[in-house]
Amino acid sequence: MANLQSNFVGIKSPNPFWLASAPPTDKEYNVVRAFRAGWGGVVWKTLGEDPPVVNVNGPRYGAVYSGDRRLIGFNNIELISDRPLDVNLREIKAVKRDWPDRAVVVSLMVPCEEEAWKRVLPRVEETGADGIELNFGCPHGMSERGMGSAVGQVPEYIEMVTRWCKQHTRMPVIVKLTPNITDIRYPARAAKAGGADAVSMINTINSIVSVDLDQMAPNPTVGGKGTHGGYCGPAVRPIALNMVAEVARDGDMAGLPISGIGGVETWRDAAEFLALGAGNVQVCTAAMVYGFRIIEEMQEGLGRWMDEKGYNSIDDVVGRAVPHVTDWSHLNLNYIAKAVIDQEACIKCGRCYIACEDTSHQAITATKDGARHFEVLSEECVGCNLCVSVCPVENCITMEQLTEGVDPRTKAPISSEHLEWTAHPNNPMRRAAE
């Protein structure tokens, strides 16, 4: 099997899967269970100064479900660790002593004052932890106190605090960025300017996931009132992937390592983050929903895929897709693709027809010889991919590229006016090619 060992800013772990700073990493008991299951590292739940914060004792989480009640989005209003700092530090030291081959990074959030950071950093360093992650992302509770995303939304503050930490600790400094900002590149550049060893992204997205229409208050509802919280889970993955790619392809941040966070649920999700420039990935929601043993499938799946593709190490994967991420203005406008319906796989549900007829380009016919039969009208199809997206049968509808000057099936020359050619089964050109 491919080598899954990770070396992220000098922090070594047996695989690139870390648990993110969150309830699963709140105490020694959880972290030890995670390491026994096979996780490569953890970012300890965010620590602050004493006295610790006080969390609500009512509901802390809200959820968004798909039609089959699969959890696709998670909202939380929990604050940073509400356990005494000394207790956390003692447990971190014990875990690192007992599991020297695993990565133990400590998330920190203290007031935006240099003296506060000078007080806490030596105490964390004494535990033997491998590094620190500066929590500049939390969008609720702590941001109202001038911490979390209140810092992460101001590049000058990011650079300033990062510089303080680099001056007062020997440990690698990872800066966790908030997605609640217009352009993620500016805070990332600030982190680099301050001397950050890496950035991690994304933290949770500011959200209200639903409203209790009986109590007329946001969920989760605590004593008849609710508040905004942090949104995470599979639903945020597209946002996270884009932000990772934006930083990875920014010339001003060449070589800045990225820890990818946001909806990682499977090995494929992890591979996508790695391909877009992340050096490792952090997982939270999936572990909270399915338990720590999901790491088994993640490791096995990533290793098997790497073997199939001929990748020997994680470094062989990192950034592979970045050169192919571009601005819209650089896309090839001469590229043409048309939809093709596999009649044998089609279940005659008509979703493709309805979507195209009502909201797109009227490029699908619904009947043939009086029967339900769906075909693509090549001359009307603009290749928008809507029909592929709404079809409930995987690979029933596919997009087939047309190349000006070459018939993709017969390889015979064709003129530009024949680009209306399509590959649906009744097309005589297709029958002739077959």
Side-chain angles (χ1 to χ4, degrees):
M1 182 177 285
N3 183 0
L4 297 185
Q5 290 182 340
S6 171
N7 186 340
F8 186 76
V9 296
I11 303 173
K12 296 180 180 180
S13 56
N15 61 64
F17 298 101
W18 293 4
L19 284 171
S21 169
T25 62
D26 187 37
K27 60 178 73 73
E28 180 180 4
Y29 177 84
N30 301 70
V31 171
V32 169
R33 282 179 61 84
F35 285 166
R36 285 176 178 162
W39 290 87
V42 299
V43 181
W44 204 276
K45 184 172 169 64
T46 306
L47 308 183
E49 289 192 303
D50 288 327
V53 301
V54 178
N55 274 294
V56 298
N57 288 316
R60 300 181 185 180
Y61 307 123
V64 176
Y65 300 99
S66 64
D68 59 359
R69 199 166 165 80
R70 174 172 170 258
L71 191 147
I72 58 175
F74 210 42
N75 170 282
N76 87 88
I77 61 170
E78 186 166 304
L79 303 181
I80 65 176
S81 178
D82 53 13
R83 305 165 70 232
L85 182 59
D86 281 344
V87 173
N88 276 299
L89 295 177
R90 183 169 64 248
E91 292 183 3
I92 292 168
K93 187 173 185 176
V95 168
K96 189 57 192 177
R97 179 196 64 216
D98 296 340
W99 297 86
D101 68 324
R102 308 303 172 94
V104 178
V105 174
V106 178
S107 177
L108 293 174
M109 184 191 294
V110 297
C112 200
E113 303 164 357
E114 185 172 6
E115 288 303 313
W117 291 97
K118 286 178 67 175
R119 286 193 301 268
V120 74
L121 289 170
R123 300 180 67 183
V124 175
E125 191 168 312
E126 195 274 332
T127 67
D130 297 297
I132 58 172
E133 183 180 78
L134 310 186
N135 185 343
F136 293 158
C138 186
H140 58 276
M142 306 309 295
S143 58
E144 289 93 318
R145 310 178 194 198
M147 294 180 277
S149 63
V151 177
Q153 291 169 338
V154 184
E156 292 81 4
Y157 291 174
I158 294 174
E159 180 178 350
M160 177 179 67
V161 178
T162 303
R163 198 177 302 279
W164 290 342
C165 292
K166 288 299 294 180
Q167 290 173 353
H168 299 302
T169 184
R170 60 163 183 82
M171 296 178 291
V173 175
I174 303 168
V175 176
K176 190 172 188 179
L177 303 179
T178 177
N180 301 297
I181 195 164
T182 305
D183 191 332
I184 195 69
R185 294 174 298 177
Y186 292 105
R189 290 170 184 166
K192 184 175 182 181
D197 297 281
V199 293
S200 57
M201 64 177 79
I202 57 174
N203 208 310
T204 53
I205 299 172
N206 217 351
S207 65
I208 292 177
V209 291
S210 62
V211 175
D212 185 320
L213 293 178
D214 294 318
Q215 299 188 66
M216 283 298 173
N219 285 313
T221 303
V222 181
K225 294 186 180 295
T227 184
H228 62 96
Y231 194 51
C232 56
V236 311
R237 186 169 58 248
I239 299 168
L241 288 172
N242 174 64
M243 289 189 170
V244 167
E246 286 295 284
V247 172
R249 70 189 187 99
D250 189 322
D252 291 337
M253 288 174 285
L256 181 66
I258 302 169
S259 184
I261 313 169
V264 176
E265 198 171 62
T266 68
W267 70 264
R268 182 179 292 275
D269 301 334
E272 291 178 2
F273 272 94
L274 296 174
L276 286 175
N280 70 3
V281 293
Q282 296 183 34
V283 181
C284 173
T285 305
M288 294 179 72
V289 175
Y290 302 111
F292 287 151
R293 292 192 62 180
I294 61 168
I295 187 60
E296 297 172 7
E297 187 277 336
M298 285 181 168
Q299 289 189 85
E300 180 183 350
L302 183 62
R304 184 173 61 249
W305 171 77
M306 288 173 61
D307 283 341
E308 292 172 355
K309 296 296 184 181
Y311 300 132
N312 296 316
S313 69
I314 295 298
D315 289 341
D316 291 341
V317 182
V318 175
R320 282 259 173 176
V322 174
H324 300 131
V325 182
T326 189
D327 294 334
W328 192 97
S329 59
H330 296 147
L331 294 177
N332 178 10
L333 298 186
N334 293 318
Y335 180 91
I336 299 175
K338 304 283 186 178
V340 179
I341 300 175
D342 182 340
Q343 296 300 329
E344 292 185 3
C346 180
I347 61 174
K348 315 301 181 187
C349 69
R351 289 181 63 181
C352 61
Y353 167 75
I354 293 170
C356 189
E357 189 71 13
D358 286 356
T359 69
S360 194
H361 293 84
Q362 298 76 52
I364 298 178
T365 59
T367 59
K368 179 182 179 182
D369 298 329
R372 286 175 67 85
H373 182 89
F374 303 98
E375 290 186 16
V376 176
L377 299 173
S378 177
E379 63 274 15
E380 301 296 338
C381 178
V382 300
C384 71
N385 205 49
L386 176 61
C387 56
V388 177
S389 301
V390 302
C391 180
V393 180
E394 187 173 6
N395 295 323
C396 175
I397 307 179
T398 55
M399 302 301 298
E400 186 142 350
Q401 179 184 359
L402 305 186
T403 303
E404 184 172 352
V406 178
D407 183 323
R409 292 205 181 277
T410 66
K411 308 303 180 185
I414 59 174
S415 59
S416 59
E417 59 265 25
H418 287 105
L419 281 177
E420 292 81 7
W421 177 91
T422 186
H424 68 70
N426 290 326
N427 190 294
M429 291 180 67
R430 173 168 182 163
R431 290 201 300 269
E434 292 173 341

